[in-house]
Structures are given as structure tokens and as C-alpha cells.
Amino acid sequence: MNDRWPISHTDLTRFRIVYAVFGLLTLPSFTWVGDYPDSLYRPPPGPFRLLEGFPPAPVLAGLGLVLAIALSCLLVGVRVPVASCVVTLTMITGFGFTYSLGKIDHNLLVALTPSAMAAAGWSPGGSVRRWVLRLWAFTIGVGMLTAGIAKLTAGWLDPTTHAVQGFTFQQVYSFDLTGWLGAAITHVSSPWFWEPMDWAAVLLECSVVVLALLGLRWLRLGLAFLALFHLGVMLMMNIAFAGSIVVYAAFVPWSRLHVRPVRVPASGWVAVGLALAVWQFVEQVGNADGLVGTLVVFTGAMIGLWYMGHRLSGRPGSQTVANTMPILRPPVADVLGVTVGAVEGIAPAACPPTSARVFEPPR
Amino acid sequence: MNSGAIGRLVYDADCKFCSRVSHWMGPSVAWQELDLVGVGATVQQVTTAAGWLEGGTITAWGAPAIAAALVQRGGAAAVAGRAQRLPVVRLAADPVYRWVANNRHLMPGGTAACATRPVGPSRAVMVAAFSAILLVGLLSLAAANRGVEPYPALIMPGFGSVPESGGTARSTEAVYTLVMSDGSSRSVSPRALLSGHAGYVAALRTLADPAATRDPETAAWLRSNLGPAADGAVQLRVDWHTISYDTHTRERHDQGVARTLTVDLEDIR
């Protein structure tokens, strides 16, 4: 309980860049939902029931553009607190319309992350509010707990049934999602293989909230296991929970990553220009959701493995990601490093904090 | 480094806005260059208000310090400085100074690092916001357990009931069939039904709602998607088949139609 949550402002600033890059590469388009007739508008219980149909195409396109601008602002560090809230609102609104066709993807944590991080202090020149990070960790834990409880009450721990096996069969044979290991793994029929997976899923999802209360080290360990769990889900069921990996990335010590500072001008115009280019590309061609999602899940699992190895070997915390995990050297570490460095150099604080400036209580 | 006869404005060098204003006003010194104990000040005081250093000690803080600096600058500034000493103006000067000081990070040249206190919502607001999110999450979970999932809600994928038991995995697969006016029928793929429209094939789940299938707007939309393929079609039938797989042999068994819905295409021709 006396964990100090040593997350620095550099960690949060770099996470902001990671989040914004991910958001822009997987920028959703909401305009397609305008092609559907209002007779198929079946919103889930909530504020979207106040509407009687899908909004006009310009509104949906505008939502996507505003989201792109807000994400670009996060990337270059312009108007970060406002942009963070705008990302949350546009995501919740845009996805609310697409989910009104009957299928809800559970990505609320992805949408809430920027607002939570803005409160935690990921803006340029801000100070870290560790209690907000703790609250956010607890919120993630509660979110995971909802999944765990749903599985628990559905009978996942019943040794006579195998939920993971059943869903893998559905994905592979009913939905024809045979990529990765899905088809091969259905040849395994031993309950000793499948039942532990059911138990592991439930225990992992129910434990995050407890680990969040225990402290950052425990939380990171739990998130490392979850990252590997998501890799397993992707390999077996072809479902890439990349958004969840990015949510967990708020607790990665990004300051240990080597960066190569590259200065680019920081201004609202740069953000708007970038946003227009990305938005136009997504509307015309589509986003890189599939490829980026896969890379993110693999990278998350690698960072998770690195952290678990780091904890088990008891190595000192001064090691860098690239030094302690050679697999993250070229190209992954370089790409991350250059990307983070490119943006990190653009928003120098006019008022560098001094030792006398103490917003955080002494620890 | 203490002062002589001429007064100097004490400012915070960490704040670019404060630095600019102080230099404009005349002789000034950053508090970081002072022996705070020697001038009778604390870090708390010098990081939250400007001071007026005269005769080796700080004699005024905040608005009076600014007034003293303006008077010393002379000219029109001196008039403004003297005006601040009038009782009525003084009443307003203090809150104005306090407001500017509290929001100096928003002034020209200021950043969040200049703030005299952490920028952002208060702890009470944040705790209330998080509590609301968590409360909504728990209420949503209760609703989801009743088969109705709200949105937005803090709910992660639960995957629903276990689709395997006793070596049999179960699934439900929709089969879409066009019934022609001559009584014949032909199957149609979900992609053909969504022809020309991006989005999830899963959107067709909405067709499980009888209200949606009965709506003429749905029929018109489907007919438009199908194009010439819909010529002669009078009905789109959606059959949900229960499928089982033997988990040892992976053999597929169609257990029959669990549910059927129809969309009347004839009415809107």
C-alpha cells in the first residue's frame, strides 16, 4: 500500500504521444453509418435513445474531423487539456451512433483515457497528480472486473464446460476467422488445455482491481499478464484488443525509452494540417486499424514479457527498455523513439520547474 | 544580494509572464537571486505574489508592490500606481491582482508550469467524476446481466454464456434467402445485402428485431442494396440455424432453424 507510484511527467508526456499516434493511425470513420436507414437505428439504453435516427452525413464527417484535430493537438502538445476532453466526447458520441446498429464494442476506457490523463497531468509543463493515476488504475480495474464477473456468473469456472474452446470454435468455424493459431488449436481437445484458460481469464480480470489497490508494481505486473492474455486472445480468436493495450500503456515507464529529439514547429496550424491529411486519407482509403492493432498487441505482449523478466530477475530500474529488451531495438524501439522524440522536442516549457516549485507534497 | 535605496520588484523567474512584466516596470530582481531569510520572505510568499524590496526588506506584497513599482517607473505608469492607493481603487486592485496571479499560466508567455497551484479540476471534482463513472459502471453491469447493455457504460467484454459443454461447441449462423415470386428461392450473402455500404456485417443483427424487419424503409434499403439481384424477389428470409461442432472431430452439425424473420420486399416495388 505504500507504493509511491513513481510515474514521471516525461512518462505521461510520452504516453500522450503514443496514444495520439495510435489514435491517428486507427482514426475511425463514422460517416458509413449514415448510409443505413433510420429503421435500423436501434440504440442501446442511454442518451442515444433521445434521437430517432442517424445524424446527417456532414455531422458524422464533422465528428471524425474534430476527433482527428483533437488527436493531432495531443500529438503536438497544443491545447492539450481541451483536446483531451474533445477526444473523449467525440469518441463516445461517434461510437454511440455506430453502436446503435446493434453491436457494442467495449472501448469506453480508450475514450476516457485522454480526459483521465489530462487530469493526471500529461499536458506540457504540467505536474503529475499521482492520486488521479491511482483512481484511473482503480477504474480500469473495475472495468476489468465487470468482464470477470460476467464470465463468473456465466459459468466459466465450471470444469465441465470450456468457454475459451467454445468461442474459438465459433470464431474459426462459424465466422471463418482462421488466422494465427485458431484453426490449429482447435485440434487440441484436452480439457487440461482449455479449462485453465477459462480460469486464467476470470482470475486475471477480477484481480486487476485488487492489484491497483496494492500499488503500481503490482498493477504493472497484472497489466503485463493481461498484455500476454490479449496476445493469446488474438492468436486464438483473431480479436485484437489493441485499445486495451494502449489504455494499460499509461503505466509504462516511457521515460526509459531512448529518444532522438527532432524539432518540428508546434502550432495549432500544424495540428490542423496533420488532422486534415489523416482524416481525408481515412475517409478515402481507410485507417490502418488491422495492422496497427496487431502490432500494438504484439508490442504490448513484448513489453509485458520484458517487465515480468525485469521483476523476476530483480534488475535495477535504471535499465532502458532497449537495453533490457533487445527485441525492442530496431525497428520497434527506433520507431517509437523517433516518433516520441520528434514531438517531445517541440513544446519546451517557458517556465522550467525549479526545485523550489513544489506542487507535489514531499514524499 | 540585498537591495539599496532604490526599490525593486521581486518576481518569479520561473514565470515568463512575470519576468516580462517586471522588466517593463523597471528595476527588478528574481526571488531566486535573493537570500529569502535575509529579506524576511518565504518560498510560499515569493512563488504566489510579487514583492517590493526596499531597504533590504520586502515591504509590500501583491497589488501594493505593483503600485510601488509603477510609481517608481514614473510618467503615466506613476499615475496608475498612485491611483491604486485610493481607497476605492485599492479595494478592487487586490482581487484583480489575485486573479491575475492565480491565472498567470494563462497570460502571454505563461505555461502550466507557471501556475501558482496545480492546473486542472479540483480533487473533489475529480473524485466525483470517477465515482460517477464507477457508479454508472456498476449499474450498467446490473443492466447487462438482465440482457440489456447500456451505452456509454464501463463494461468490458464478458462474452456471454459458455458455448461449449460435453464436447460440443455451439454457434448460431444466419442464412439469408431471397424468396422469388415463382416460389423458388436463392441464398444471398451478407456482403451482398450490404452492397455499397461500409460497416459491420454484424449490423445485420438488427434484422433480428421484428420492428426493423417490418419497416418499409428497411425493405427499400435492402432492395436498393441488392440491385438487379432483387428483381422478382418478394421476400428476404433470415433463418438463424443452431450449429454444433464436435470438439474432438470438429464435425459440423446443423441442428435446424431456431428462429426465422422475413422482410417483405414486394410492397415497395
Side-chain angles (χ1 to χ4, degrees):
Chain A
M1 282 292 204
N2 56 1
D3 193 313
R4 288 184 178 181
W5 289 69
I7 292 179
S8 68
H9 184 254
T10 304
D11 291 330
L12 288 187
T13 303
R14 292 182 180 178
F15 171 58
R16 171 169 54 79
I17 295 163
V18 168
Y19 182 94
V21 169
F22 172 78
L24 286 170
L25 289 176
T26 61
L27 185 73
S29 167
F30 305 120
T31 48
W32 60 269
V33 81
D35 292 338
Y36 286 82
D38 288 346
S39 58
L40 294 183
Y41 186 72
R42 290 290 181 275
F48 291 88
R49 289 214 168 162
L50 297 173
L51 302 173
E52 294 183 345
F54 300 106
V59 174
L60 294 165
L63 269 176
L65 180 59
V66 170
L67 176 59
I69 292 173
L71 284 167
S72 299
C73 286
L74 290 188
L75 182 65
V76 302
V78 174
R79 306 270 177 198
V80 170
V82 175
S84 303
C85 296
V86 170
V87 169
T88 297
L89 288 174
T90 48
M91 273 195 182
I92 289 176
T93 308
F95 286 122
F97 289 123
T98 62
Y99 298 163
S100 294
L101 276 172
K103 181 179 184 294
I104 296 178
D105 290 335
H106 303 87
N107 66 350
L108 190 74
L109 287 176
V110 181
L112 289 176
T113 293
S115 293
M117 289 300 104
W122 75 352
S123 306
S127 53
V128 179
R129 294 171 154 195
R130 292 182 177 81
W131 63 271
V132 174
L133 288 169
R134 289 179 191 219
L135 267 178
W136 179 237
F138 182 68
T139 305
I140 293 173
V142 171
M144 300 306 295
L145 187 64
T146 63
I149 289 175
K151 292 179 175 70
L152 201 63
T153 54
W156 278 50
L157 299 189
D158 182 347
T160 64
T161 65
H162 309 303
V164 174
Q165 185 183 26
F167 286 113
T168 305
F169 265 80
Q170 283 187 358
Q171 292 292 101
V172 172
Y173 296 112
S174 282
F175 307 135
D176 204 25
L177 295 171
T178 53
W180 304 110
L181 303 176
I185 216 154
T186 57
H187 288 72
V188 181
S189 56
S190 168
W192 294 103
F193 176 80
W194 293 105
E195 190 56 22
M197 293 198 191
D198 291 0
W199 279 70
V202 174
L203 289 177
L204 257 179
E205 290 178 341
C206 290
S207 64
V208 178
V209 69
V210 178
L211 297 175
L213 291 173
L214 286 176
L216 182 61
R217 283 158 58 91
W218 287 103
L219 174 70
R220 281 176 171 164
L221 198 59
L223 297 181
F225 273 107
L226 269 174
L228 288 173
F229 167 70
H230 289 312
L231 176 64
V233 171
M234 187 179 79
L235 293 178
M236 291 169 61
M237 298 188 192
N238 253 29
I239 306 172
F241 285 109
S244 297
I245 297 287
V246 172
V247 170
Y248 308 155
F251 302 99
V252 169
W254 293 104
S255 55
R256 294 185 196 176
L257 192 71
H258 283 305
V259 295
R260 300 172 184 176
V262 180
R263 287 191 178 270
V264 292
S267 78
W269 293 114
V270 171
V272 171
L274 175 66
L276 276 171
V278 173
W279 175 76
Q280 188 65 23
F281 186 85
V282 168
E283 290 295 327
Q284 300 297 325
V285 182
N287 62 23
D289 196 13
L291 176 65
V292 173
T294 303
L295 283 175
V296 165
V297 172
F298 270 114
T299 308
M302 284 192 287
I303 293 175
L305 264 179
W306 162 73
Y307 186 73
M308 283 192 275
H310 174 79
R311 286 290 302 272
L312 288 172
S313 65
R315 284 173 128 163
S318 59
Q319 302 282 340
T320 65
V321 172
N323 286 344
T324 52
M325 193 172 181
I327 200 167
L328 271 186
R329 279 217 84 99
V332 177
D334 282 353
V335 170
L336 277 173
V338 169
T339 309
V340 169
V343 186
E344 198 175 51
I346 66 176
C351 315
T354 65
S355 55
R357 187 175 294 283
V358 277
F359 292 148
E360 294 294 329
R363 294 174 190 284
Chain B
M1 178 177 168
N2 288 348
S3 164
I6 298 174
R8 289 197 285 178
L9 193 65
V10 179
Y11 68 94
D12 186 352
D14 283 344
C15 173
K16 203 169 185 176
F17 168 71
C18 308
S19 306
R20 280 183 185 172
V21 172
S22 301
H23 291 147
W24 177 82
M25 285 187 174
S28 56
V29 58
W31 71 258
Q32 287 87 347
E33 297 174 34
L34 292 175
D35 169 15
L36 292 183
V37 177
V39 298
T42 64
V43 170
Q44 172 69 19
Q45 285 174 311
V46 292
T47 53
T48 52
W52 183 246
L53 183 66
E54 199 169 21
T57 56
I58 295 182
T59 56
W61 292 101
I66 299 295
L70 289 172
V71 168
Q72 182 169 279
R73 181 179 163 80
V79 176
R82 288 197 180 87
Q84 273 195 47
R85 292 172 178 167
L86 297 172
V88 178
V89 180
R90 198 166 55 204
L91 276 177
D94 282 335
V96 168
Y97 177 83
R98 186 47 47 205
W99 183 86
V100 172
N102 286 342
N103 293 281
R104 65 188 201 181
H105 56 287
L106 302 174
M107 301 296 162
T111 71
C114 313
T116 53
R117 57 189 175 194
V119 179
S122 71
R123 182 179 288 234
V125 170
M126 287 304 302
V127 169
F130 275 98
S131 301
I133 291 170
L134 297 179
L135 184 64
V136 168
L138 293 174
L139 291 174
S140 304
L141 184 63
N145 278 342
R146 294 184 174 188
V148 186
E149 184 173 339
Y151 177 86
L154 185 62
I155 294 181
M156 299 299 277
F159 283 90
S161 58
V162 178
E164 191 281 339
S165 63
T168 301
R170 286 171 306 283
S171 182
T172 305
E173 297 174 11
V175 175
Y176 302 89
T177 308
L178 282 175
V179 180
M180 314 308 285
S181 54
D182 61 3
S184 64
S185 61
R186 64 167 183 255
S187 65
V188 59
S189 72
R191 295 207 179 277
L193 282 174
L194 289 172
S195 175
H197 300 282
Y200 305 133
V201 171
L204 290 170
R205 286 180 187 189
T206 315
L207 290 178
D209 184 344
T213 55
R214 279 197 299 267
D215 195 313
E217 195 181 4
T218 304
W221 182 75
L222 289 172
R223 180 170 277 284
S224 145
N225 286 350
L226 289 164
D231 288 346
V234 293
Q235 199 177 60
L236 171 72
R237 197 176 70 231
V238 188
D239 295 315
W240 278 272
H241 291 248
T242 302
I243 307 295
S244 67
Y245 296 94
D246 186 313
T247 56
H248 296 279
T249 62
R250 295 167 302 288
E251 282 178 12
R252 182 180 190 276
H253 302 283
D254 191 336
Q255 305 290 335
V257 177
R259 190 181 180 198
T260 296
L261 279 172
T262 56
V263 182
D264 201 345
L265 300 176
E266 197 173 33
D267 288 348
I268 51 92
R269 293 186 72 183

